[in-house]
Amino acid sequence: MAKPKTPLKPQKPPQKPRKSPFKGEKIDRRSLTIGEFVCAVIARQYKYMVTQERGVLADLDPEYLHQMRVGGRRLSTALQVFSHVVDLPKAAQEKRVRSLTKTLGALRDLDVQIDSLREDYCHRVSSAEREILDKVLASLDKQRQRAFAKVESILTHPSYEKLKAGCESWLEHPQFSSPVHFPLGLLLPDLLSPLLSALLLHPGWSIPIAETTGISESNSEVLHDLRKTCKYVRYQAEFFTDFYGATFKEWIDELKELQDSLGKVQDMQVFQALLLRELPEGADLPELQRAIQDNLIGATVNWESVRQKYLSADFRYQLHQMILEPLMQQITT
């Protein structure tokens, strides 16, 4: 007979990851090399990701899952950004981390939908509509059980242990595929310029959102891709907050707000598709649809002003000028 698993006790509530890869250290921006910086970034993101593991498996607080997914995405971003300089073991390559975060993401997406249905909508509809939504919730709970089983399986699989062993082996003896003795300050504009170009050239800025007509399916896909671009740019830019001033940090905060707003739009699009799939044929829920429309309007209320800002030649010039002027004096974090 198989030995029953001992329930895992969750750790204390997870803390938000520090944006800076350094902690309590004096940093000489002038002499810090890209190799030293890469090691610090990868170490912090990896360690943060794995500290959430026990809480995820305990499955008592969804915040552990959310933070492990965030940590995994940040680690994946770091490995992508510095792929031209790091020489990683096969087991620790970026695609392995991305596969892990994809599995975590499937469970996290269900958590978001279940929480949204319970907290944002169930109390805003009649008892008749609530009875229908309760059936949808029951279906989602079953899907979540299956998704958690996949997460549990991957976090207890030998391949995950190999991923961790590969990362830890590299962190003990970092290997690089190109020279990494160059000062980081010299390279910062070159690292950030492609990111900024990807953001500013995105076709999503050309899409207005009208309250009356809503968002078409094709436009929804473009805006969802803009959200992913904002997230990727923000994750990478956050690695360098120690090397820029207040304006740079404010820009990152604005990106997060935009990402969150576009994320709410995407969540509602996914939610409506889910309802079409889960609701009985011919079911009519006018109160729920009104609540969804109200939330959509709330999520997009600032879109037009943000869109025009990013289409402004002056603002674009300011962003380019900002990344060309990193701070070079010594700091203490």
Side-chain angles (χ1 to χ4, degrees):
M1 180 180 296
K3 183 179 180 180
K5 292 188 293 184
T6 302
L8 293 169
K9 295 181 180 179
Q11 300 167 311
K12 61 183 180 180
Q15 302 296 312
K16 300 290 184 181
R18 282 174 51 88
K19 294 178 180 179
S20 169
F22 303 96
K23 183 179 181 181
E25 304 171 17
K26 287 186 176 180
I27 304 171
D28 188 343
R29 294 187 180 103
R30 295 164 297 183
S31 62
L32 183 70
T33 68
I34 186 171
E36 292 168 333
F37 184 76
V38 168
C39 288
V41 168
I42 292 177
R44 181 161 293 279
Q45 304 311 321
Y46 167 72
K47 290 174 183 176
Y48 185 81
M49 180 185 77
V50 297
T51 57
Q52 313 305 320
E53 175 188 324
R54 191 175 181 85
V56 171
L57 289 171
D59 200 28
L60 297 176
D61 183 347
E63 187 64 17
Y64 289 100
L65 171 68
H66 175 52
Q67 293 303 328
M68 187 171 189
R69 185 191 190 191
V70 168
R73 281 179 163 176
R74 290 180 188 276
L75 176 60
S76 178
T77 298
L79 297 181
Q80 283 182 284
V81 170
F82 302 116
S83 61
H84 61 293
V85 297
V86 296
D87 184 11
L88 295 164
K90 183 177 180 180
Q93 291 178 358
E94 188 271 334
K95 65 179 180 180
R96 307 287 178 131
V97 181
R98 185 165 14 103
S99 176
L100 170 64
T101 57
K102 185 177 180 180
T103 302
L104 297 174
L107 179 58
R108 173 61 183 169
D109 290 345
L110 280 167
D111 281 346
V112 169
Q113 294 300 329
I114 291 170
D115 183 69
S116 178
L117 191 53
R118 285 177 174 153
E119 302 299 326
D120 296 340
Y121 296 111
C122 281
H123 66 282
R124 298 165 65 179
V125 300
S126 65
S127 57
E129 291 193 12
R130 173 63 189 266
E131 186 176 342
I132 297 174
L133 292 184
D134 284 342
K135 294 179 181 178
V136 175
L137 278 170
S139 176
L140 292 178
D141 283 335
K142 290 180 180 178
Q143 293 177 42
R144 191 194 183 282
Q145 291 174 20
R146 294 192 292 270
F148 176 75
K150 291 181 180 179
V151 168
E152 189 176 37
S153 175
I154 199 170
L155 292 183
T156 55
H157 194 273
S159 61
Y160 177 62
E161 293 302 319
K162 290 179 181 178
L163 167 63
K164 293 195 292 184
C167 287
E168 289 164 9
S169 173
W170 186 88
L171 289 170
E172 286 182 17
H173 304 286
Q175 301 293 316
F176 299 98
S177 57
S178 63
V180 288
H181 60 275
F182 294 106
L184 179 65
L186 178 68
L187 306 177
L188 280 175
D190 302 307
L191 290 168
L192 289 170
S193 290
L195 280 179
L196 186 57
S197 295
L199 177 67
L200 297 180
L201 292 173
H202 199 282
W205 302 117
S206 67
I207 299 176
I209 300 177
E211 292 183 10
T212 53
T213 57
I215 305 172
S216 68
E217 183 175 348
S218 59
N219 283 348
S220 176
E221 292 175 0
V222 174
L223 291 173
H224 179 47
D225 189 74
L226 175 59
R227 179 212 180 189
K228 291 192 290 185
T229 299
C230 288
K231 181 184 296 184
Y232 180 72
V233 171
R234 178 173 72 89
Y235 280 178
Q236 181 167 340
E238 283 178 342
F239 296 152
F240 306 112
T241 53
D242 287 331
F243 303 90
Y244 287 92
T247 302
F248 188 81
K249 294 179 176 67
E250 290 169 3
W251 174 56
I252 291 176
D253 290 340
E254 289 178 356
L255 280 180
K256 185 180 187 309
E257 290 179 9
L258 175 59
Q259 174 196 319
D260 289 344
S261 295
L262 292 175
K264 291 176 182 177
V265 173
Q266 172 64 15
D267 288 343
M268 280 180 271
Q269 299 288 322
V270 172
F271 182 54
Q272 288 182 308
L274 179 149
L275 290 175
L276 287 175
R277 185 173 68 249
E278 297 290 338
L279 289 176
E281 186 175 352
D284 184 25
L285 285 76
E287 294 171 342
L288 176 62
Q289 291 301 327
R290 281 195 298 271
I292 293 173
Q293 186 62 24
D294 288 344
N295 284 356
L296 181 60
I297 292 172
T300 58
V301 66
N302 295 322
W303 166 248
E304 193 58 27
S305 62
V306 173
R307 188 173 80 91
Q308 292 302 327
K309 182 178 181 179
Y310 273 83
L311 293 175
S312 162
D314 287 343
F315 180 66
R316 288 174 171 235
Y317 174 79
Q318 291 168 13
L319 289 177
H320 282 289
Q321 195 66 25
M322 176 181 66
I323 66 173
L324 290 174
E325 300 174 347
L327 305 173
M328 285 293 102
Q329 71 271 27
Q330 180 173 290
I331 60 171
T332 301
T333 58

